[in-house]
Amino acid sequence: MKLLNSVGPNPRMVRMFLAEKGLALPSDKLDLIGGENRRTPYTEKNPGGQMPALQLDNGAVIGETVAICEYLEEKHPNPPLIGSTAEERAETRMWTRRIELGITENIYNGFRYAEGLPLFKDRMRCLPEAADGLKAKARDALAWLDPLLAGKRFICGDRLTVADLVLYCCTDFAKGVGQPIDPSLKNVNEWFDRINSRPSAEASLDPDAVQAGMRG
Ligand SMILES: N[C@@H](CCC(=O)N[C@@H](CS)C(=O)NCC(=O)O)C(=O)O
């Protein structure tokens, strides 16, 4: 099994998940800025054309970060980052879905259609006219989340889960591209600092992140 890896907040999320699990995997590094992920042979393995992917020993390739983490959790259940009971897993999946649909996908598309346009305009259909609205939707969703985090260490209470890693890697990236967390969101900011102080946060940054000008 190996990770098809690159700079970027999504590959970082899987690296952070691996670090929290105490797992190390061999990896092949692709040049994301140069668009290697949008060409063959990568797109033959992952037609989604995005990073990262997990290549299994039987040759199958799993794309999509959360699907990769679900697979890794099934193979390496401890420490649980999705859950050890049906109830815990359902709670984690509920929050991960809310975070991806309401916050992170809007932040990422807001970036791709504005600051990221030079990189993305030839990779996908971009909607520059939607950028401001998508960023505003993400801000609204973070403001919605803020009171729900009151009194909680993590998004799922006392359990660190993949939901925290998805939101952390995105918001850490976002603050460098003009989408910082609103300083008035006390609970979200305190939650961010808690995740940011974990050794896995620093350890998951790609060695080329500074050169690429991104937290990822
Ligand atoms: N929904 C995907 C998103 C993956 C994604 O957006 N990856 C970025 C890197 S952070 C990427 O590949 N960007 C370059 C591109 O789209 O060409 C997942 O969860 O894996």
Side-chain angles (χ1 to χ4, degrees):
M1 179 161 72
K2 71 178 170 184
L3 186 64
L4 306 180
N5 197 13
S6 73
V7 74
N10 282 283
R12 182 191 186 189
M13 197 284 279
V14 172
R15 293 192 296 269
M16 196 166 171
F17 188 92
L18 288 166
E20 289 288 347
K21 286 270 185 197
L23 294 172
L25 284 185
S27 64
D28 282 351
K29 178 97 177 264
L30 276 82
D31 176 10
L32 175 134
I33 304 295
E36 203 179 352
N37 56 299
R38 293 281 171 180
R39 298 192 287 270
T40 57
Y42 182 74
T43 51
E44 282 161 0
K45 295 179 179 176
N46 179 9
Q50 290 182 311
M51 300 300 300
L54 188 67
Q55 186 162 337
L56 308 186
D57 292 339
N58 69 3
V61 174
I62 313 292
E64 297 298 325
T65 47
V66 176
I68 292 169
C69 293
E70 290 270 359
Y71 176 83
L72 292 169
E73 175 107 349
E74 286 201 34
K75 293 289 182 184
H76 302 275
N78 290 308
L81 292 172
I82 294 173
S84 47
T85 63
E87 289 76 15
E88 286 183 357
R89 289 190 288 274
E91 185 189 29
T92 304
R93 290 168 182 148
M94 170 182 77
W95 276 109
T96 303
R97 202 161 163 76
R98 285 173 175 163
I99 283 163
E100 288 200 295
L101 293 175
I103 305 175
T104 61
E105 195 60 13
N106 289 327
I107 288 177
Y108 287 132
N109 281 330
F111 163 73
R112 289 175 185 129
Y113 302 165
E115 296 80 4
L117 200 55
L119 189 65
F120 286 97
K121 65 179 174 20
D122 298 325
R123 298 188 183 207
M124 60 179 63
R125 183 180 294 279
C126 288
L127 306 172
E129 67 282 8
D132 285 347
L134 292 169
K135 293 176 185 180
K137 279 180 76 71
R139 286 196 302 275
D140 290 351
L142 282 166
W144 166 80
L145 179 63
D146 193 66
L148 300 174
L149 280 178
K152 286 187 185 177
R153 278 170 71 211
F154 303 114
I155 292 167
C156 293
D158 283 335
R159 294 186 300 121
L160 176 77
T161 66
V162 69
D164 296 290
L165 308 188
V166 169
L167 185 60
Y168 167 75
C169 290
C170 178
T171 48
D172 194 36
F173 167 80
K175 71 183 187 200
V177 295
Q179 298 188 66
I181 299 170
D182 180 340
S184 75
L185 300 181
K186 180 176 173 290
N187 297 318
V188 176
N189 279 289
E190 287 177 3
W191 162 89
F192 181 93
D193 292 343
R194 263 194 299 282
I195 309 296
N196 194 45
S197 67
R198 299 183 74 82
S200 62
E202 191 63 30
S204 57
L205 280 170
D206 188 281
D208 295 334
V210 173
Q211 192 193 334
M214 71 169 91
R215 298 280 296 171

